[in-house]
Amino acid sequence: MVPHLVTALSGPINELEERILDSMPAIERWFRLEWMEHTPPFYTSVDVRNAGFKLAPVDTNLYPGGWNNLTPEMLPLAVQAAMAAIEKICPEARNLLVIPENHTRNTFYLANVLQLKRIFHMAGLNVRVGSINPEIKEPTTIELPTGESIVLEPVVRSKTRLGLKDFDPCTILLNNDLSAGPPGILEDLHEQYLLPPLHAGWSVRRKSRHFQSYEEVAKRFGKMLGIDPWLINPMFNRCGEINFAEGSGMDCLTTNVDALLTRIRKKYKEYGINEKPFVIVKADNGTYGMGIMTVRDTKDLEELSRRTKNKMAVIKDGQEVHDVIIQEGVQTYERIHDAVAEPVVYLMDRYVVGGFYRVHPERGIDENLNAPGAGFVPLAFAESTRLPQPGQKPGASAPNRFYMYGVIGRLAMLAASYELEATDPEAETYD
């Protein structure tokens, strides 16, 4: 099930792959020690870009919504990881309530919810799906393109607990990223585990804070491995005073874009890379691939069309954009059926459980692929029986490349755990 992989296997990525494979025992021990100190997010997906000379995460999602894109071969891994995750949090758990996004009629998204239900059912839980969408007033069956169906039920809130009629869960799994803020119905729950916690939602999370944590992780990992952390870390700046609708704050954006492009050029010169650098400007709390644009030159910012400004001004749930992260652009040289592709790594608890390629035939190597028209090609990381093979020529083995993607995915997940600790309203370190 491993698709044919076409990659620019030149320059430091070969050295990086070799270093990572040679250091596998040290890497696994390093992660083991980190997880003794830090709690992994409940589940995570990480978008990875492979530029041939650099391999880095470009986005980390704490409410992953593409579980239906994993191969059936990966299901046992996800079930085992789900068992481990639940055991740690609520070993006596019997009932699990899944709360999805409110866009009820998106059947592709609901296929993902059904897959989550299947995973946790196999992990030994009674699983039902409860909607916080006020439009769902009675159990509603929705047919899916696969021929299966899913039942959404209205949630019932008592004074201290959340459940369904005749269903009292010990654990509530959110698959809703709370872009518009946490609804009151999810607050002040008593003796129920809410996974992930409310402060993992986009009303609190910021991409810039995540990548600040990732930078710290990459430096420590790079030091342990003896590599330049830049090879696995996208540099970034932030601008917090932009208003695309009114055209104000553009000086802040231009200055920060220019500064970052200058830093990237310096790195490219150091490594003898002849590519034209670019940056990606994204809403700092953005999701669903909304509020994103590629900038190759500061002149691009002077010539922004009204359409682009409108696209950048508002994201999911009508949230206005005032803060953006300006991220070093990482090209992707992965190709599937001649279309540009990027791997997306799926993790549960501290385990890599699979992933897929996001493929977009109409996008370039320096553009965001999470856009209408994207397709998904499942990716089996270990081909169930094939593990990484140290000693093979770099780039010769798909499992070796996938092991690297898994390492990058876990580094991003570790950064997310740092980030959640820093923003936990109940932690003493909260600022």
Side-chain angles (χ1 to χ4, degrees), residues 193-269:
Y193 295 95
L194 192 61
L195 305 168
L198 292 179
H199 66 279
W202 280 119
S203 55
V204 175
R205 265 195 95 200
R206 294 293 177 269
K207 290 176 191 280
S208 53
R209 189 186 281 128
H210 173 74
F211 280 100
Q212 197 175 346
S213 297
Y214 183 81
E215 194 172 306
E216 186 189 329
V217 167
K219 279 178 182 168
R220 294 182 52 232
F221 184 78
K223 190 176 178 185
M224 185 270 292
L225 218 56
I227 61 166
D228 178 353
W230 177 75
L231 294 172
I232 55 170
N233 178 36
M235 299 187 288
F236 73 94
N237 279 346
R238 182 180 160 268
C239 169
E241 51 193 71
I242 189 84
N243 187 321
F244 287 101
E246 294 173 7
S248 60
M250 293 303 285
D251 288 351
C252 160
L253 185 59
T254 304
T255 304
N256 279 291
V257 165
D258 190 42
L260 187 54
L261 283 169
T262 303
R263 284 168 66 201
I264 302 168
R265 281 187 205 104
K266 195 176 167 191
K267 274 292 181 187
Y268 278 20
K269 192 174 178 188

Side-chain angles (χ1 to χ4, degrees), residues 71-125:
T71 63
E73 291 86 345
M74 291 292 100
L75 209 54
L77 280 180
V79 170
Q80 283 177 327
M83 284 176 176
I86 291 290
E87 223 167 82
K88 272 197 316 202
I89 293 154
C90 183
E92 70 281 5
R94 181 176 293 146
N95 295 337
L96 175 79
L97 180 65
V98 179
I99 295 187
E101 292 281 355
N102 283 355
H103 43 65
T104 12
R105 299 294 164 185
N106 183 332
T107 52
F108 291 105
Y109 168 74
L110 290 173
N112 143 78
V113 177
L114 187 62
Q115 181 76 312
L116 274 174
K117 185 181 175 187
R118 191 177 288 127
I119 289 167
F120 286 97
H121 175 74
M122 289 181 189
L125 293 162

Side-chain angles (χ1 to χ4, degrees), residues 17 61 82 86 195 259 261 332 354 372 375 379:
E17 187 170 334
N61 186 355
I86 291 290
L195 305 168
L261 283 169
T332 178
L379 159 68

Side-chain angles (χ1 to χ4, degrees), residues 127-204:
V127 188
R128 283 162 69 177
V129 182
S131 177
I132 56 174
N133 184 344
E135 291 173 21
I136 300 287
K137 294 183 170 61
E138 59 186 4
T140 304
T141 302
I142 296 173
E143 301 298 325
L144 303 181
T146 55
E148 299 167 297
S149 62
I150 189 167
V151 179
L152 302 181
E153 301 180 69
V155 295
V156 177
R157 171 75 196 234
S158 67
K159 191 176 177 187
T160 57
R161 290 175 78 82
L162 189 70
L164 304 174
K165 189 182 175 190
D166 307 323
F167 188 75
D168 184 35
C170 136
T171 308
I172 297 164
L173 179 63
L174 281 178
N175 198 242
N176 179 320
D177 63 26
L178 308 177
S179 292
I185 198 168
L186 295 177
E187 294 178 321
D188 304 317
L189 296 173
H190 181 62
E191 290 181 356
Q192 277 181 312
Y193 295 95
L194 192 61
L195 305 168
L198 292 179
H199 66 279
W202 280 119
S203 55
V204 175

